[in-house]
């Protein structure tokens, strides 16, 4: 007997991108976990509900060590959505899926069929379009997140404790920064953070983070700009 479908319905499949946090452990893992615990303790809820990718590129660990690492992260409520850079031999059933193809906005690809000059060098890359920007004309309240990986974020008001602003470019805050501000979130070491009053829980540029209490006491409550220099966040008062 042949069954005839009289009410056929299509299945809708959509693509959607999310900004994920990339964790790149280093050895020894126990020491790295201590530093992670310090970050989580001083910035409560940083990983809560946030997609996280585990980058183990060039990390010399075997499958049992990787499983132990994932388990330790799970104990800390860090849910790994995927693993990047893992050798196939260390992946197994029950682990997050392998990911590849993630890249920062600053990457430039030359296709295999692009013309090459006689000495074997690819042609000069065309200039990338200028980064975009958005303006938030109201305060960012506790529990709210502003995420804009395409460029700069400007907040006319303040950023409350427990709130966060994440930008692919620079972050400009014309009020008090009491929450978290992360600039250069997808690979932009030249991004900066500017705020009228520094009282932040956490600041980060291109994946390098710093807690406000780790900064010079004379910067607290001041108008400040922050930038990255030799893998360290620098800060100075705005005149």
């Amino acid at each position: 007997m042949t069954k005839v479908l009289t009410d056929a319905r299509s299945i809708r499949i959509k693509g959607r991108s999310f900004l994920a946090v990339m964790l790149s452990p280093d050895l020894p893992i126990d020491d790295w976990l201590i530093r992670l615990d310090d970050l989580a303790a001083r910035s409560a809820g940083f990983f809560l509900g946030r997609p996280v990718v585990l980058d183990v590129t060039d990390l010399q660990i075997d499958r049992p060590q990787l499983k132990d690492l994932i388990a330790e992260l799970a104990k800390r409520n860090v849910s790994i959505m995927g693993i990047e850079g893992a050798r196939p031999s260390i992946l197994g059933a029950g682990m997050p899926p392998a990911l590849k193809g993630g890249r920062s906005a600053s990457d430039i690809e030359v296709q295999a069929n692009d013309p090459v000059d006689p000495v074997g060098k690819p042609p000069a890359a065309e200039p990338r379009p200028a980064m975009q920007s958005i303006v938030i004309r109201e305060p960012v309240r506790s529990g709210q997140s502003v995420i804009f990986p395409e460029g700069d974020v400007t907040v006319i008001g303040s950023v409350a404790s427990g709130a966060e602003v994440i930008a692919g470019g620079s972050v400009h805050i014309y009020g008090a920064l009491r929450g978290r501000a992360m600039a250069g979130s997808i690979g932009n070491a030249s991004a900066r953070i500017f705020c009228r009053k520094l009282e932040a829980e956490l600041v980060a540029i291109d994946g390098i983070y710093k807690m406000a209490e780790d900064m010079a006491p004379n910067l607290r409550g001041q108008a400040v700009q922050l930038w990255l220099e030799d893998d360290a966040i620098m800060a100075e008062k705005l005149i």
Side-chain angles (χ1 to χ4, degrees):
M1 178 178 180
T2 303
K3 184 177 181 180
V4 179
L5 296 178
T6 58
D7 186 22
R9 296 183 181 181
S10 61
I11 297 175
R12 180 173 295 176
I13 300 175
K14 293 183 177 181
R16 183 167 296 176
S17 61
F18 293 88
L19 185 66
V21 171
M22 177 77 78
L23 281 179
S24 300
D26 50 48
L27 299 176
I29 294 296
D30 288 344
D31 291 348
W32 180 81
L33 287 170
I34 290 172
R35 299 199 303 274
L36 184 71
D37 289 339
D38 180 63
L39 168 61
R42 295 196 285 170
S43 186
F46 183 77
F47 295 106
L48 188 63
R50 190 187 300 277
V52 179
V53 173
L54 186 62
D55 178 15
V56 295
T57 305
D58 299 325
L59 191 65
Q60 297 302 312
I61 59 175
D62 55 24
R63 182 182 296 181
Q65 290 172 316
L66 179 58
K67 292 182 70 173
D68 288 344
L69 174 58
I70 295 170
E72 287 295 332
L73 291 171
K75 291 178 185 177
R76 293 160 171 81
N77 294 318
V78 179
S79 298
I80 303 300
M81 63 173 287
I83 302 174
E84 186 172 40
R87 304 184 306 278
S89 60
I90 70 172
L91 297 176
M95 290 188 181
L99 297 178
K100 64 179 181 178
R103 61 179 181 178
S104 68
S106 59
D107 286 351
I108 297 175
E109 269 188 9
V110 178
Q111 301 298 328
N113 57 355
D114 284 348
V116 177
D117 68 15
V119 296
K121 295 180 180 179
E126 295 181 2
R128 296 184 64 86
M131 295 192 82
Q132 304 175 41
S133 64
I134 60 169
V135 177
I136 308 299
R137 303 184 181 276
E138 57 188 20
V140 183
R141 296 180 174 84
S142 181
Q144 293 182 325
S145 296
V146 175
I147 302 175
F148 187 69
E150 290 84 2
D152 296 352
V153 174
T154 299
V155 180
I156 301 299
S158 297
V159 177
S161 176
E164 64 183 6
V165 176
I166 303 175
S170 295
V171 175
H172 307 258
I173 299 170
Y174 283 83
L177 170 56
R178 299 188 178 96
R180 300 183 288 264
M182 288 168 268
S185 63
I186 54 175
N188 183 358
S190 63
R192 296 196 174 210
I193 298 173
F194 303 86
C195 64
R196 184 71 65 182
K197 187 177 183 182
L198 180 65
E199 297 177 350
E201 298 170 346
L202 175 146
V203 294
I205 300 175
D206 193 24
I208 305 297
Y209 79 91
K210 194 177 188 73
M211 313 302 291
E213 57 264 33
D214 296 331
M215 300 179 192
N218 65 320
L219 295 177
R220 191 164 185 83
Q222 302 297 314
V224 172
Q225 69 163 320
L226 305 105
W227 69 96
L228 199 60
E229 187 173 302
D230 296 328
D231 289 334
I233 292 181
M234 311 299 291
E236 68 178 10
K237 293 181 183 178
L238 289 169
I239 300 175

